[in-house]
Amino acid sequence: MKITVLAGGVGGAKFLRGLRAHLRQVDPDGFGGTASEVTVVVNTGDDVWLTGLRVCPDLDSIMYTLGGANDEVRGWGRVGESERVSAELTEYGVGWPWFTLGDLDLGTHITRSHLLREGLTLSEVTARLCARWNLGVRLLPMSDQSVETHVVVADPEQPGGERSMHFEEWWVHYRAGLTALRFEQRGLASAVAAPGVVQAILGADVVLFAPSNPVVSIDTIVAVPGIRDALVETGAPVVGVSPIISGSAVRGMAHACLSAIGVETAADAVALHYGARDSGGLLDAWLVDESDAALVAGLEEAGLRVAAVPLWMNSVEATTALAAAALAEAAGLTV
Ligand code: GDP
Ligand code: CA
């Protein structure tokens, strides 16, 4: 079975860990071989050049998590990390002092930047980096071209004026506390889907939307020229998992992103934002949390197949069951 997943960083990584565990349970011999093949199309809108290095937060979150090297306590970055180099950079006054690049993490960024400067594409570099970690899934950046998410906010020094900043500055430095007026994806018009992305969507047996940030992870991927068309065209069922539980974004600041695009922080509003495929949208099925069971009927009326199951990814076991439920929805659509 060919499974293609659209994913952002931390939410995507957790979901993928559950999906991999589920596939290993049902298919202990075949997984990673021919029986199940997982391709992940990863958001690269958060990528940034920092102190001369290319940093790809979402690709790295997934690589470290599936590679077993992420910091489980902090929730991101490498386990056993130190920050000596970052402290030196701060002394020199370069980089973003509020955006820590750990020493081990810097090894990844140096390698990536080196290979990019040698002329490799981001997809080729990603394959090289992932080879070390034996992930069992294939990670593809959404595009080899730079598509950077910038956030437009009101300029406090200029009434009626606006200023824009890189998404990471808005998110990490300002903790999404400056009201976003809109998001811009710089470079989008001249970007194309990375090699293999469109084929992975068209040739999939199942397409899954991880419970990732709908605005700055999933929408960003879908906006890359070629990707929306592939999602609309694919013969595979498209099943999404809600990143919103009981009206809350669980962890992180997705609420601020949804408000900026005028979508309520609710599991049904996010599903309707993606839309049902038979009315021109992207989804065949949607998973909401058990606590959101009251939303099922309304979503079914809107043309979606909906299941209410536990959506908290607070253990690998719970996330494994969630991934199984997503695949069961897809199977229900293909019979
Ligand atoms: P990021 O790139 O690191 O921000 O990560 P993603 O875009 O992949 O996912 C972030 C989103 O995951 C958050 O905004 C939450 O809405 C969602 N999320 C985090 N933890 C959980 C969880 O346990 N269950 C569900 N359903 N969603 C979660
Ligand atoms: Ca991200």
Side-chain angles (χ1 to χ4, degrees):
M1 181 165 58
K2 290 194 171 82
I3 304 170
T4 297
V5 187
L6 271 51
V10 173
K14 279 194 180 162
F15 179 73
L16 288 163
R17 193 165 48 179
L19 178 64
R20 186 178 64 177
H22 168 70
L23 294 172
R24 281 186 174 151
Q25 275 172 10
V26 296
D27 183 18
D29 300 324
F31 182 58
T34 51
S36 305
E37 242 177 74
V38 178
T39 301
V40 189
V41 180
V42 183
N43 171 46
T44 54
D46 306 357
D47 295 9
V48 63
W49 283 102
L50 209 54
T51 59
L53 302 174
R54 190 63 172 162
V55 180
C56 301
D58 290 2
L59 279 167
D60 290 346
S61 288
I62 296 176
M63 186 171 80
Y64 295 154
T65 301
L66 295 184
N70 67 309
D71 186 328
E72 290 289 323
V73 178
R74 198 167 47 164
W76 54 273
R78 295 282 298 271
V79 69
E81 187 61 289
S82 54
E83 290 163 8
R84 297 189 66 194
V85 177
S86 232
E88 284 296 294
L89 296 173
T90 303
E91 288 297 328
Y92 285 119
V94 299
W96 286 336
W98 38 266
F99 194 88
T100 307
L101 298 172
D103 298 335
L104 298 174
D105 196 27
L106 276 162
T108 302
H109 308 319
I110 292 170
T111 307
R112 173 185 293 120
S113 308
H114 163 68
L115 294 171
L116 286 170
R117 288 193 182 105
E118 297 262 290
L120 272 68
T121 62
L122 182 61
S123 327
E124 290 166 343
V125 172
T126 303
R128 279 281 292 274
L129 293 173
C130 290
R132 168 185 171 194
W133 296 98
N134 194 20
L135 304 181
V137 310
R138 180 168 67 130
L139 298 193
L140 298 178
M142 64 188 195
S143 176
D144 277 340
Q145 289 81 41
S146 162
V147 179
E148 280 188 5
T149 303
H150 284 247
V151 188
V152 180
V153 300
D155 186 344
E157 280 154 32
Q158 220 189 323
E162 296 180 345
R163 60 183 272 237
S164 81
M165 62 186 76
H166 190 281
F167 170 74
E168 291 292 350
E169 186 177 0
W170 179 73
W171 190 251
V172 181
H173 188 31
Y174 293 103
R175 314 297 303 162
L178 302 176
T179 304
L181 303 174
R182 61 187 180 277
F183 296 94
E184 288 174 355
Q185 289 156 312
R186 298 208 176 152
L188 190 67
S190 49
V192 290
V197 168
V198 166
Q199 295 86 323
I201 294 169
L202 293 178
D205 297 305
V206 182
V207 175
L208 301 176
F209 286 12
S212 287
N213 187 308
V215 185
V216 293
S217 292
I218 303 292
D219 279 2
T220 310
I221 299 171
V222 171
V224 174
I227 296 188
R228 173 177 280 276
D229 288 347
L231 287 166
V232 168
E233 217 179 294
T234 184
V238 179
V239 180
V241 180
S242 175
I244 305 298
I245 299 177
S246 312
S248 147
V250 189
R251 297 176 195 89
M253 299 163 279
H255 176 63
C257 300
L258 286 165
S259 303
I261 63 160
V263 173
E264 195 194 336
T265 304
D268 55 345
V270 173
L272 296 173
H273 167 67
Y274 292 140
R277 267 175 108 189
D278 41 11
S279 44
L282 299 173
L283 293 172
D284 293 299
W286 186 240
L287 299 189
V288 299
D289 186 64
E290 289 171 315
S291 63
D292 285 319
L295 304 176
V296 172
L299 287 171
E300 283 175 349
E301 257 170 54
L304 290 166
R305 184 186 164 103
V306 188
V309 298
L311 291 197
W312 284 93
M313 301 190 289
N314 40 18
S315 68
V316 177
E317 293 70 33
T319 313
T320 304
L322 168 57
L327 292 179
E329 279 305 295
L333 285 156
T334 30
V335 274

